[in-house]
Amino acid sequence: MKVIELNESVTESNDRDAQELSAQLTKKGILLVNLMSSPGSGKTTLLKRIAADFDGNPKMAVLEADIASDVDAVRMEEAGVISVQAHTDGMCHMDAGMTRRGLEAMDLDGVDVVFLENVGNLICPAEFATGAQKSVMILSVPEGDDKPLKYPLMFTESDALVITKTDAMPYFDFDMKKCEERVRRLNPDIRIFPVSAKTGEGMAALEDWVRSALSSLKNKT
């Protein structure tokens, strides 16, 4: 399992770098999905479920970004998924340059989809483009339905919202309808997927969305 040390890119325009990386990945037929959330939302568990359901078709890889440790990358490798751990040198986000260096450290031969598991944080990651063609916000039921009110940019910048741990709904005061209404006021076009990686509930719809995004991308190559 490979671990690389990164620090924030010093460039004139991260947005320009992100556009270039996105175009290059699209040309290669690789979909990069930026996963953003707070710590403990269930990103790694969700990715393990997706990997099991995909079963190599499409072939996926994971770029794990953390300030320290390689726990998540080890878990993904144990699940049979190509994985590289990127340490961000204290930075609370990934940018395009850091993402590029992380991808360069991976064996992407035959890979269709790369999930960037961004640093757990509801503020910084939404402010920095990574080169991903799709950005996904993950909100877990235990975190509460008021997060769109507190962190609007994260929801505004995302193409999809995945509400995880729906199997825990009976134990938490989480109003799904109220949450969806708050999110759609910020982002009317966002796709919302309530899921449980534990039971599999809702996973098929999310996975079909990823496959559809990949198919649309490959039609451009």
Side-chain angles (χ1 to χ4, degrees):
M1 193 270 299
K2 186 179 294 185
V3 178
I4 59 173
E5 304 293 333
L6 300 176
N7 47 45
E8 189 173 18
S9 298
V10 180
T11 63
E12 292 183 1
S13 173
N14 183 64
D15 288 343
R16 182 193 63 212
D17 292 346
Q19 290 171 1
E20 290 177 356
L21 178 57
S22 178
Q24 290 164 0
L25 290 171
T26 297
K27 188 175 181 179
K28 294 178 180 178
I30 297 174
L31 175 67
L32 176 62
V33 181
N34 180 22
L35 298 181
M36 301 177 289
S37 77
S38 61
S41 65
K43 290 193 296 295
T44 306
T45 300
L46 181 74
L47 287 173
K48 287 180 66 177
R49 179 73 191 219
I50 292 174
D53 291 346
F54 279 178
D55 193 23
N57 184 26
K59 185 177 180 180
M60 64 177 274
V62 178
L63 175 58
E64 297 281 359
D66 272 306
I67 293 174
S69 92
D70 59 2
V71 173
D72 291 337
V74 169
R75 290 177 63 192
M76 294 309 305
E77 284 212 336
E78 288 175 347
V81 180
I82 297 168
S83 182
V84 166
Q85 182 73 56
H87 288 166
T88 62
D89 192 31
M91 295 294 174
C92 60
H93 64 273
M94 291 284 283
D95 65 17
M98 297 161 75
T99 301
R100 179 186 293 279
R101 295 200 298 278
L103 293 174
E104 288 172 349
M106 303 181 79
D107 178 8
L108 296 178
D109 184 33
V111 169
D112 301 297
V113 183
V114 179
F115 290 95
L116 165 59
E117 187 173 340
N118 215 317
V119 180
N121 187 320
L122 288 179
I123 301 174
C124 302
E127 298 176 349
F128 292 85
T130 61
Q133 298 100 329
K134 294 293 182 181
S135 291
V136 176
M137 159 67 184
I138 299 177
L139 172 67
S140 67
V141 165
E143 293 175 79
D145 54 45
D146 60 349
K147 288 298 181 290
L149 302 176
K150 298 180 178 181
Y151 305 97
L153 183 63
M154 180 68 74
F155 296 88
T156 303
E157 293 296 314
S158 296
D159 299 293
L161 167 64
V162 180
I163 301 176
T164 59
K165 305 184 183 180
T166 56
D167 53 285
M169 286 280 288
Y171 311 105
F172 292 91
D173 184 18
F174 187 97
D175 189 320
M176 185 69 72
K177 183 178 179 181
K178 190 175 294 184
C179 181
E180 292 187 1
E181 288 174 349
R182 289 167 173 168
V183 172
R184 293 201 186 282
R185 280 199 293 268
L186 296 168
N187 187 346
D189 297 325
I190 196 170
R191 295 290 304 274
I192 300 177
F193 300 98
V195 307
S196 169
K198 181 179 180 180
T199 67
E201 177 187 10
M203 291 300 300
L206 171 60
E207 290 157 2
D208 285 347
W209 179 78
V210 175
R211 288 188 178 96
S212 177
L214 176 62
S215 177
S216 297
L217 180 145
K218 286 187 178 293
N219 286 336
K220 296 177 182 179
T221 61

